[in-house]
Amino acid sequence: MSNEHIFSDEAVAEMQKVQNATALSAKAMTQDLAEAYEIMGTLKAFNFVQKLLTVGSLKKLQEIKESKKYKGLSVVTDDGNFLTVGNFADFCKVCGLSDKKVYEDLQNLNAFGEEFMETSQRLGLGYREMRKLRQLPEEARTEIVDADYSEATDKEELIEKIEDLTAKFAREKKVLEGQLKQSQANYEAQAKVLKNKNERLDKLDKELAKKTLLIETQTPDQRGGMLREEAAQISYKAEAILRGQVFQAFEALAKHSEETGIDHRQFMSGVLAEYQLILSELKERFNLDDEPTGDALPEWAREDYNPDGEPLDESVTSILDEIEREDHIQDAEVVG
């Protein structure tokens, strides 16, 4: 039975397309491998004669590296082993070349162009000089690459120019790194200050919110008690300063008077007069009595104050008075 009876016309046409594509692929693969073999032979022969690859050889290597025509190349290596090339490093190896040096040569070719590569090979520039040249800023690198080199150009002259530009670039880089480091330090310091400031503001905002909420929910008596507590704390601080720092200052003045005969009493009286003036202004401004009386008298200031419910004899009262005086003195010393 013929094929026409087994397959439809469409199937036969599709099979023909696949066969044609396969034949073309095989032909192309054969051409690629043939070209890879040819290049390999040329490079091996060239490498036998001299070590440096010409610009033309490098261009062929660049082409085969990008096209990957080396894949599937089968060769027997110099040590007698069979090798199927799978990557560009393998191809360099079967060509008798160091893949690292080839990579660096291709890097130089791409960075400097064909003309300068030929000049560098003619002058005998090594990998070290070419590597330094690649590391220079583009402006400095262009200055060297685009220069007009005659046959009389000296290798040492070009190397000296590369060294000078390298040293100059290193100095400029060091200065820029120092500036960058200082800028970074300044930025970190400012960030730290800003962070601390934000934390303090956040804390104050939270405290203010709490106080605002507390004030809004307090009764008038509760609010009054809080205000009295705040006023008492301020008063205690003022009292501590008077009993501590001012008292010590007066003692020092009195001691000085005893030692030298200089009278400081008028000065001390003047200080007290200032305090009395302030107290009088407060008393007048807020229409206050000389002493608290009646219901306004604090519980602790009343004569019948006894939280334990037991009468206190005179000896206990004197001891408590003495303890209270010592507490005031200690508080004053802490504040001072």
Side-chain angles (χ1 to χ4, degrees), residues 221-238:
D221 288 343
Q222 290 173 333
R223 177 58 180 159
M226 177 177 287
L227 291 174
R228 286 195 296 272
E229 182 178 348
E230 292 177 357
Q233 290 177 355
I234 296 172
S235 176
Y236 290 153
K237 292 178 182 178

Side-chain angles (χ1 to χ4, degrees), residues 186-210:
N186 292 340
Y187 172 78
E188 290 176 356
Q190 291 175 359
K192 186 176 181 180
V193 171
L194 183 60
K195 180 183 177 182
N196 292 338
K197 183 178 179 180
N198 289 336
E199 288 177 352
R200 289 196 299 269
L201 288 175
D202 290 343
K203 184 178 180 181
L204 289 174
D205 287 342
K206 290 178 181 178
E207 291 178 353
L208 180 60
K210 289 180 181 178

Side-chain angles (χ1 to χ4, degrees), residues 38-54 57-58 61 78 91-99 101-102 105 127:
E38 182 182 352
I39 293 174
M40 181 190 71
T42 302
L43 292 173
K44 289 186 72 173
F46 179 84
N47 191 48
F48 181 77
V49 176
Q50 64 185 65
K51 293 182 178 180
L52 285 177
L53 291 170
T54 64
S57 298
L58 287 172
L61 282 167
D78 294 337
F91 182 76
C92 293
K93 181 179 179 181
V94 298
C95 292
L97 303 171
S98 166
D99 60 299
K101 289 186 178 180
V102 171
D105 283 334
Y127 286 103

Side-chain angles (χ1 to χ4, degrees), residues 27-37 64 67 69-70:
K27 184 179 180 181
M29 184 181 297
T30 302
Q31 289 176 347
D32 288 346
L33 289 176
E35 186 176 344
Y37 275 116
I64 202 168
S67 65
K69 292 179 180 180
Y70 51 77

Side-chain angles (χ1 to χ4, degrees), residues 303-318 320:
E303 294 182 359
D304 59 349
Y305 175 66
N306 186 1
D308 298 329
E310 297 291 337
L312 299 176
D313 57 35
E314 185 177 348
S315 61
V316 174
T317 303
S318 62
L320 292 176

